[in-house]
Amino acid sequence: MATRKDVAKLAGVSEATVSRVFNNILPLKQETKEKVLQAAKQLHYYPNTLAQNLATSKSHTIGVIVPYLPKVRHLLSTYYFSEIISGIGDQLASANYGLQLIFQPQDQFRNYTQFFSSKKIDGCIILGSHDVDGEKFAIEELHRLDLPYCLINQTFQTSHFHYIDAKHQEGSYQAVSHLLEQGFERIIFLNGPKTYSNSLDRLVGYQDALHSRDLKMNEHSLFYGNYSRKSGVEKAKEIAPIIKEFDAIFAANDRMAVGLIQGLYDQGIYVGKDYAIVGYDDSDIASIIHPTLTSVRVPFFKMGELAAEHVLNKVNSKVTETMQLKLPVELIVRASSNNQIERSFK
């Protein structure tokens, strides 16, 4: 079995530097981090002291790791995070466990195992995980040490990680198929970042729905935002000049849909009059905005509950098998996808 000394030798650094990397003690040069991580991966080295420490005591606290985004205000009040965290909290409360929020800066070296010792948690649930440098390695470390964890709304290809997700490919297919059934065949797709598996799933569902009608995806119909309302507003500037070429829009979440509606409205282009639109998530705003927004309902609260249940079972040694579950979604049809649009600019 590889040791810290072996990693240090292969990476050409001191053992102290290896410890600094795995304990995220700053400052550290990015080049040094990468050398140590690559050496550790090559040698299949993972610190085992955490597992030993966990065997001796429990904190009765589960950590919920969320992304820290300095420029995003009120992140936890968004429907996505609030619903999932509420589901987690409800399940933990029923088991007399506490919840500790842990903010993970997106540009910081990832080492999730450190939270088990420094934050004194018994397990963790990771929100906002995506396929970026170091992420898969950090989760692999959790898995190899058999620490109690679960990902929510993110999967990795060829991985055996524990996760709770939704059937986003199916949801996207339902959304686009609905628009096609309403007679809209020229459909813009505003997707989320490619680093999220749910974005990739939605893209496949979008393409599958088009192919089911022998339609090809127009390369000019695909746009990418970052799941924020602001990105929807910004993408409206790109979509407005070409909107005459299309008659409907599918947005990968309601926040981008609302931002897009707002941005197009500011340019004199109106939902329900000039184009139809379908969102995703079925957040509270979908039934409040005018016209009301057709959207795909995702069971975020249930996803949080099931993730917490799984982690608690791992903590209490009640489960050994890998949890990989995708929950069904449901299209909720409202006024925004009505097929009676007037196309006033024709």
Side-chain angles (χ1 to χ4, degrees):
M1 180 180 294
T3 66
R4 185 174 60 187
K5 183 176 181 180
D6 297 327
V7 174
K9 183 177 180 180
L10 182 59
V13 300
S14 67
E15 290 186 53
T17 298
V18 174
S19 293
R20 284 163 61 86
V21 169
F22 277 98
N23 288 292
N24 200 31
I25 299 174
L26 302 177
L28 277 171
K29 293 182 179 179
Q30 185 62 32
E31 181 182 357
T32 302
K33 291 180 183 179
E34 292 174 357
K35 284 183 179 179
V36 171
L37 290 175
Q38 185 59 39
K41 183 177 181 180
Q42 185 175 334
L43 295 171
H44 301 290
Y45 168 80
Y46 297 91
N48 58 12
T49 54
L50 290 171
Q52 296 171 356
N53 291 339
L54 284 172
T56 60
S57 63
K58 290 183 179 179
S59 66
H60 285 84
T61 300
I62 301 300
V64 178
I65 302 172
V66 297
Y68 174 63
L69 304 172
K71 296 182 180 180
V72 179
R73 300 179 62 188
H74 312 301
L75 177 70
L76 297 183
S77 66
T78 62
Y79 182 80
Y80 172 80
F81 284 106
S82 64
E83 282 291 296
I84 290 177
I85 292 175
S86 293
I88 294 171
D90 190 68
Q91 187 67 29
L92 294 182
S94 66
N96 294 316
Y97 263 73
L99 182 158
Q100 180 171 350
L101 283 176
I102 302 171
F103 291 92
Q104 170 71 51
Q106 293 292 282
D107 58 351
Q108 188 180 85
F109 166 65
R110 287 165 172 74
N111 180 7
Y112 296 134
T113 60
Q114 67 175 316
F115 300 130
F116 283 78
S117 55
S118 63
K119 301 295 182 180
K120 297 181 180 179
I121 60 174
D122 296 337
C124 72
I125 299 170
I126 304 174
L127 307 185
S129 173
H130 55 137
D131 196 355
V132 294
D133 291 344
E135 179 78 5
K136 189 172 182 179
F137 182 86
I139 301 169
E140 185 71 48
E141 185 180 356
L142 286 173
H143 196 84
R144 286 183 179 273
L145 288 171
D146 199 28
L147 296 175
Y149 78 92
C150 190
L151 307 178
I152 291 184
N153 210 40
Q154 175 68 21
T155 64
F156 290 84
Q157 288 187 347
T158 68
S159 76
H160 41 267
F161 300 148
H162 302 279
Y163 67 75
I164 300 291
D165 200 3
K167 295 181 178 180
H168 297 299
Q169 182 176 334
E170 178 183 306
S172 178
Y173 183 89
Q174 289 180 23
V176 179
S177 294
H178 168 68
L179 288 171
L180 293 169
E181 290 165 1
Q182 295 296 301
F184 306 116
E185 295 189 344
R186 299 170 296 170
I187 304 169
I188 288 173
F189 181 27
L190 175 56
N191 200 6
K194 299 177 184 179
T195 54
Y196 293 102
S197 62
N198 51 81
S199 297
L200 301 179
D201 288 345
R202 289 185 182 94
L203 178 58
V204 173
Y206 169 76
Q207 294 172 320
D208 286 349
L210 292 179
H211 291 162
S212 71
R213 296 293 186 95
D214 294 323
L215 298 172
K216 293 183 179 180
M217 185 178 75
N218 185 327
E219 61 179 10
H220 301 298
S221 66
L222 185 58
F223 296 83
Y224 287 95
N226 65 3
Y227 287 128
S228 70
R229 184 190 62 81
K230 182 178 179 181
S231 71
V233 174
E234 292 173 345
K235 290 301 170 181
K237 298 174 184 177
E238 300 177 34
I239 292 174
I242 65 169
I243 191 67
K244 292 181 181 181
E245 302 172 23
F246 298 90
D247 47 27
I249 302 172
F250 170 45
N253 78 337
D254 291 348
R255 295 187 65 183
M256 289 197 299
V258 170
L260 187 56
I261 291 170
Q262 177 186 343
L264 291 175
Y265 177 88
D266 291 342
Q267 299 183 64
I269 302 170
Y270 307 110
V271 61
K273 184 176 182 182
D274 299 318
Y275 66 97
I277 189 169
V278 172
Y280 202 100
D281 289 349
D282 193 36
S283 59
D284 293 339
I285 198 170
S287 59
I288 298 173
I289 192 173
H290 180 77
T292 52
L293 181 64
T294 295
S295 187
V296 177
R297 180 173 294 168
V298 181
F300 291 126
F301 187 92
K302 188 65 175 179
M303 290 163 69
E305 278 189 320
L306 291 175
E309 180 182 32
H310 175 69
V311 170
L312 288 174
N313 285 337
K314 286 288 290 183
V315 168
N316 296 305
S317 302
K318 293 182 179 179
V319 61
T320 57
E321 65 273 11
T322 299
M323 164 68 81
Q324 293 187 338
L325 180 63
K326 290 191 175 185
L327 301 182
V329 297
E330 178 187 7
L331 180 70
I332 306 300
V333 178
R334 299 189 179 93
S336 70
S337 60
N338 191 299
N339 63 3
Q340 302 302 314
I341 65 172
E342 301 173 16
R343 303 292 287 177
S344 61
F345 46 61
K346 278 190 173 181

